[in-house]
Amino acid sequence: MLRRTVIIGGLGATAGLTVAGCSTPTHASSGTKTGESPVGGTWQSPSATPISLTVTPKAGSTKASPAEPVTVSVAGGKLASVKVVSGRKTVSGAVQSDGVTWRSTGALAYGKTYKVTASVLDSLGAQIEKTSTFTTIKPAHTAGTTFQANAMSTLTAGGTYGMGQPVIVAFSRNVTDKAAAEKAITVETSPAVEGKFYWVTKSIVHWRPAKYWTKGTTIKVSVNTFGVNLGNGVYGSTDAKTHFTIGRTLLAVSDNSTHHTKVYIDGKLVRTMACSNGKGGYTTGADGQQLHFWTHEGPHVVLSKERTHSMSSASYGLTDPANPNYYAPEIVKLCTRISYSGEFLHAAPWNGSLGKANLSHGCINLSTADAQWVYDNFLVGDVVDVRHTPKPLPIGDGLGDWTVSYDKYGA
């Protein structure tokens, strides 16, 4: 009768079979020793292949990245099962098709200790169990991520925007390691284009291509900052993603010298509008600051549309009623905003100089019919390029991203 004994050793030890007898129906002589055949040969017991197990993160790690998967791999055997737990939470995962590798699919968390238990079958079928533990990074602070259309509104995922809309990523805390943040941001476009980053503040970064987006371009943005040190112990709280599409391309050219604004859609002139832009000149504001009344020159990006908006000279710092440029609050209709400082295209039925002279405090005055058409047809992200004025639009006054050449953008 054959008898098999399974000897299970520790990790890396052999686990094999030993045979107590290997007899035939013929009786062995009294001089035959155990382990010898009756015909005099020595029988060698089979042994298992040595096993080695590799667990990542390394056992004892105290600053493991929760963004990296847990992997377990074995040499000399096969994985029967792997369990990764922290408290009552089990991290999901699966043995891969090769039978010797396990990889987690579930998310880890910051500042948690995880226990990895791996059961391995050696080459003879014996089971060995191995455990290890590691702890993930505990950040001093975490930073969330949001996507903006501009400083006044969030970007609508799946929305349609104009050709001047930059990608805007806003973090909830200051970022000191900008290179790490930029590496974590992926912008995929179809058709493919290259682009550059520009940090507006320590927590807000823009990305734009070399030229205006083309009609129908799709943009997908992924911010994979979970587990990434953004500087000074600030880590991304979660990964985030969004996407948007560029609609028809619309460019409005407002010429300060001809007093007309021409609108081009997909390269074709579709409307010419008489206008009255900023009258120019200077005055002194309530805090002693110098104020001017030109419409800023350069490409503006549409920020919002408001059916009515209360306007007053106090909104830009002019509060003295004795100043000839002062005006009290009044409700203005059909307003399309193009700068944070208060430049709009809007209805100005009181202005009798449309198409003839520049009389506004800086806005682009239009007839009610033209202002209605703008309000109905312009998208956030469309471009209004103001020309022939002496005051360039500052890059931070609205989305002035297109006021600088691509080679200097972000420099």
Side-chain angles (χ1 to χ4, degrees):
M1 179 179 179
L2 297 176
R3 179 165 60 87
R4 191 178 93 160
T5 302
V6 179
I7 303 174
I8 302 177
L11 183 68
T14 60
L17 302 178
T18 61
V19 179
C22 185
S23 61
T24 67
T26 305
H27 293 288
S29 67
S30 60
T32 301
K33 297 180 180 180
T34 301
E36 294 180 349
S37 75
V39 292
T42 300
W43 188 90
Q44 298 292 331
S45 299
S47 60
T49 303
I51 291 173
S52 63
L53 193 71
T54 302
V55 178
T56 304
K58 184 180 179 181
S61 298
T62 58
K63 294 184 178 181
S65 171
E68 298 298 325
V70 180
T71 59
V72 179
S73 59
V74 63
K78 289 188 176 181
L79 286 171
S81 66
V82 174
K83 189 174 184 181
V84 180
V85 297
S86 177
R88 295 183 178 180
K89 182 177 181 181
T90 299
V91 179
S92 58
V95 177
Q96 306 300 292
S97 58
D98 59 10
V100 297
T101 306
W102 183 94
R103 185 182 180 91
S104 66
T105 55
L108 304 184
Y110 287 120
K112 299 292 183 180
T113 297
Y114 292 87
K115 181 179 179 181
V116 182
T117 303
S119 294
V120 181
L121 297 176
D122 70 12
S123 58
L124 297 181
Q127 186 166 303
I128 299 170
E129 191 173 90
K130 171 68 176 177
T131 63
S132 69
T133 61
F134 66 88
T135 302
T136 53
I137 297 165
K138 186 176 182 179
H141 303 284
T142 58
T145 302
T146 56
F147 300 100
Q148 297 181 347
N150 50 69
M152 305 173 67
S153 63
T154 59
L155 185 86
T156 300
T160 300
Y161 291 87
M163 66 179 185
Q165 180 63 53
V167 172
I168 304 176
V169 178
F171 297 100
S172 61
R173 287 184 175 272
N174 287 345
V175 172
T176 55
D177 192 340
K178 295 178 179 178
E182 291 177 11
K183 185 177 179 180
I185 300 172
T186 301
V187 180
E188 297 180 63
T189 70
S190 179
V193 294
E194 293 184 355
K196 285 185 178 182
F197 289 103
Y198 162 62
W199 287 84
V200 179
T201 68
K202 292 182 179 179
S203 62
I204 299 176
V205 61
H206 292 197
W207 188 98
R208 56 153 274 205
K211 299 179 181 180
Y212 295 132
W213 300 108
T214 58
K215 177 182 178 180
T217 299
T218 58
I219 300 104
K220 297 179 180 179
V221 188
S222 299
V223 182
N224 299 312
T225 54
F226 181 66
V228 176
N229 188 348
L230 301 174
N232 291 336
V234 175
Y235 284 75
S237 59
T238 58
D239 292 340
K241 60 178 58 178
T242 193
H243 64 284
F244 62 99
T245 302
I246 304 302
R248 79 290 173 274
T249 60
L250 185 150
L251 172 66
V253 178
S254 186
D255 193 319
N256 204 59
S257 60
T258 66
H259 316 299
H260 282 81
T261 298
K262 294 184 177 182
V263 182
Y264 301 84
I265 293 181
D266 297 334
K268 295 181 179 180
L269 178 64
V270 297
R271 196 173 185 92
T272 299
M273 305 180 294
C275 64
S276 179
N277 293 357
K279 63 183 179 179
Y282 297 89
T283 193
T284 302
D287 297 325
Q289 74 275 33
Q290 186 183 65
L291 304 174
H292 72 80
F293 300 101
W294 279 282
T295 306
H296 285 113
E297 182 176 70
H300 298 60
V301 175
V302 172
L303 306 174
S304 67
K305 295 189 293 183
E306 303 172 42
R307 188 160 291 278
T308 61
H309 184 84
S310 178
M311 295 186 183
S312 71
S313 63
S315 65
Y316 52 86
L318 183 55
T319 60
D320 183 5
N323 190 303
N325 297 293
Y326 171 86
Y327 61 97
E330 60 180 283
I331 299 300
V332 179
K333 296 180 179 179
L334 303 170
C335 304
T336 300
R337 182 188 281 269
I338 57 174
S339 76
Y340 297 147
S341 62
E343 293 170 308
F344 293 83
L345 290 83
H346 66 76
W350 60 84
N351 192 333
S353 296
L354 300 180
K356 301 174 183 178
N358 296 320
L359 298 181
S360 84
H361 288 76
C363 289
I364 299 175
N365 287 186
L366 300 172
S367 70
T368 299
D370 284 336
Q372 182 72 62
W373 187 88
V374 169
Y375 185 87
D376 292 340
N377 289 278
F378 280 31
L379 296 174
V380 171
D382 283 340
V383 178
V384 178
D385 194 354
V386 179
R387 299 179 181 176
H388 303 130
T389 78
K391 293 292 182 180
L393 178 70
I395 191 171
D397 187 5
L399 301 181
D401 299 68
W402 306 97
T403 62
V404 297
S405 61
Y406 185 67
D407 61 322
K408 295 181 180 178
Y409 186 73

